[in-house]
Amino acid sequence: MKLQRKNMLRASALGALVVSGALVLTACGSDDNTKTDAGASGKPSAAVGDIKCEGAKGKLLASGSSAQKNAVDLWVKNYMAACPGVEVNYKSSSSGEGIVAFNQGTVGFAGTDSALKPEAVEESKKICTGGQGIDLPMVGGPIAIGFNVAGVDKLTLDAPTLAAIFNDKIKKWDDEAIKKLNPGVTLPATAIQAFHRSEDSGTTENLGKYLKTAAPEAWTYEAAKKWPAPGGQAASGSSGVASQVKAVDGAIGYFELSYASSQSIKTVDIATGAAAPVKATGENASKAIAAAKISGTGDDLALKLDYATKAEGAYPIVLVTYEVVCDKGNKPETLPTVKSFLNYTASEAGQKVLTENGYAPIPAEINAKVREVIAKLA
């Protein structure tokens, strides 16, 4: 019987890995989770024995950012294969909705692409008895700038030019500012069709942080989940933005790299001031995230990213997704499962899943602190 059970678990884990091996980071606020990245390795991510169930039982509900949806799906499949009888259900919605659900006490943890605001922390104290909500960075990745311009296969932009495009200041693809960045490229006089998210989005906020930091004179708006600039066209979710970019000649938009990969959408190389423009890849995003510093206090591990990085090969338009939990006052019936599951996602094996499947893992030094905090959750 023991041998039979081991074989069943091994088959279940293998099936999960085959299904999930091609998944890549998807977009915040999008409900389209069917897209995959054909370039993902699909290699085994963790042996069943690497996951410790540690008293986990029953059902654990979580929700929030869909920027991490496919990463969580991959982790959940591995985890549930190792821990029979435990069900982890992550509902992909948006960062804002996840925080609302957390502060209403309906989920064990929430995912968000932006660290908790002070008012959300204060609200969390009503749910986290004797404690408060904290941010645990768990997964990162690049925000790609996708474009569709007939006859143009390669395009380089910098922060000021990108800001002027999304701010409705540059209206044609043969604008001198774009031509200057793309010598030797024949650019048509096609009108630029800029697409942005219609709903509040952590992806929008992170793009805004990049533009505000790297091009403050051209982008005067404060970073926010709601799209701030005039002009352009709105689409729902990164899936909607990607679909429009794919379909419309002259289009440009922003979304997580998975949408570009799965739909064969060309992406912009970013001129950062480094020796060469930087491509949107998981590896290049990791180089930028590696320079992140902890800005949170106590057990809150919110990060400060350097969106103006000029490091060689560092892609600057990135996001980090946090898991929000109570430092104290977690529900006793779900706490063992929360700790067990997050211990796996923050483990070397869990983070290796990200590396092997096109994501940007959290830097090892910061991730070690994440594991220390998880161990103390009460």
Side-chain angles (χ1 to χ4, degrees):
M1 290 296 290
K2 289 184 178 179
L3 179 60
Q4 182 181 16
R5 186 181 180 192
K6 286 183 178 179
N7 288 337
M8 290 174 64
L9 288 176
R10 187 178 297 110
S12 178
L14 179 59
L17 291 169
V18 170
V19 170
S20 61
L23 295 175
V24 295
L25 192 64
T26 59
C28 178
S30 164
D31 57 3
D32 181 356
N33 299 299
T34 62
K35 309 299 182 184
T36 60
D37 179 5
S41 70
K43 295 178 181 178
S45 55
V48 170
D50 292 336
I51 300 173
K52 297 178 174 60
C53 301
E54 298 176 341
K57 60 182 179 180
K59 180 183 292 187
L60 172 63
L61 300 179
S63 71
S65 164
S66 59
Q68 67 169 6
K69 168 63 172 160
N70 283 342
V72 174
D73 279 351
L74 182 55
W75 281 327
V76 165
K77 288 172 182 176
N78 291 342
Y79 181 81
M80 288 174 57
C83 302
V86 180
E87 180 182 349
V88 181
N89 187 333
Y90 182 82
K91 178 184 177 183
S92 171
S93 50
S94 68
S95 297
E97 291 177 78
I99 292 171
V100 168
F102 179 78
N103 282 340
Q104 289 176 342
T106 60
V107 294
F109 70 88
T112 175
D113 303 337
S114 298
L116 291 168
K117 299 291 191 292
E119 56 270 24
V121 174
E122 193 62 31
E123 185 72 16
S124 72
K125 294 178 181 178
K126 299 176 183 177
I127 296 299
C128 304
T129 306
Q132 65 181 45
I134 57 173
D135 302 286
L136 301 178
M138 202 64 71
V139 60
I143 300 172
I145 307 298
F147 72 95
N148 178 6
V149 183
V152 179
D153 294 323
K154 181 177 176 59
L155 185 68
T156 296
L157 296 173
D158 59 11
T161 307
L162 194 59
I165 289 172
F166 280 121
N167 203 16
D168 205 30
K169 301 296 185 184
I170 293 179
K171 301 178 182 292
K172 299 282 187 179
W173 279 110
D174 63 350
D175 187 275
E176 287 301 320
I178 301 177
K179 289 168 69 174
K180 185 177 180 180
L181 290 165
N182 294 274
V185 177
T186 301
L187 294 163
T190 307
I192 293 175
Q193 306 286 338
F195 289 90
H196 58 263
R197 294 283 288 276
S198 59
E199 76 285 4
D200 288 2
S201 161
T203 310
T204 295
E205 184 171 7
N206 282 280
L207 174 64
K209 289 177 181 178
Y210 163 70
L211 294 174
K212 179 69 172 177
T213 302
E217 294 182 0
W219 192 260
T220 58
Y221 313 100
E222 295 301 321
K225 289 183 173 66
K226 185 177 180 62
W227 181 256
Q233 302 176 58
S236 178
S238 283
S239 59
V241 174
S243 294
Q244 291 296 327
V245 172
K246 178 77 171 178
V248 177
D249 183 27
I252 187 170
Y254 60 95
F255 31 80
E256 281 72 19
L257 184 59
S258 61
Y259 288 92
S261 301
S262 63
Q263 298 188 48
S264 299
I265 297 172
K266 295 182 286 289
T267 62
V268 171
D269 295 345
I270 302 298
T272 63
V278 186
K279 295 184 179 298
T281 67
E283 181 182 359
N284 290 343
S286 291
K287 293 176 183 177
I289 295 172
K293 305 296 183 185
I294 295 174
S295 60
T297 58
D299 286 336
D300 187 279
L301 300 180
L303 301 179
K304 181 176 178 58
L305 298 167
D306 182 8
Y307 293 99
T309 180
K310 294 180 174 60
E312 297 299 326
Y315 185 80
I317 316 176
V318 296
L319 61 78
V320 168
T321 297
Y322 301 92
E323 313 311 334
V324 176
V325 295
C326 296
D327 56 358
K328 298 177 183 177
N330 289 279
K331 293 181 179 179
E333 62 269 26
T334 57
L335 177 60
T337 309
V338 168
K339 294 179 71 171
S340 172
F341 180 69
L342 294 184
N343 268 326
Y344 164 55
T345 66
S347 69
E348 290 184 10
Q351 289 291 298
K352 190 177 181 183
V353 169
L354 304 181
T355 305
E356 292 175 343
N357 290 279
Y359 302 101
I362 301 303
E365 181 179 349
I366 295 173
N367 196 49
K369 295 181 184 296
V370 171
R371 293 196 293 268
E372 291 174 8
V373 172
I374 293 171
K376 296 191 295 181
L377 296 180

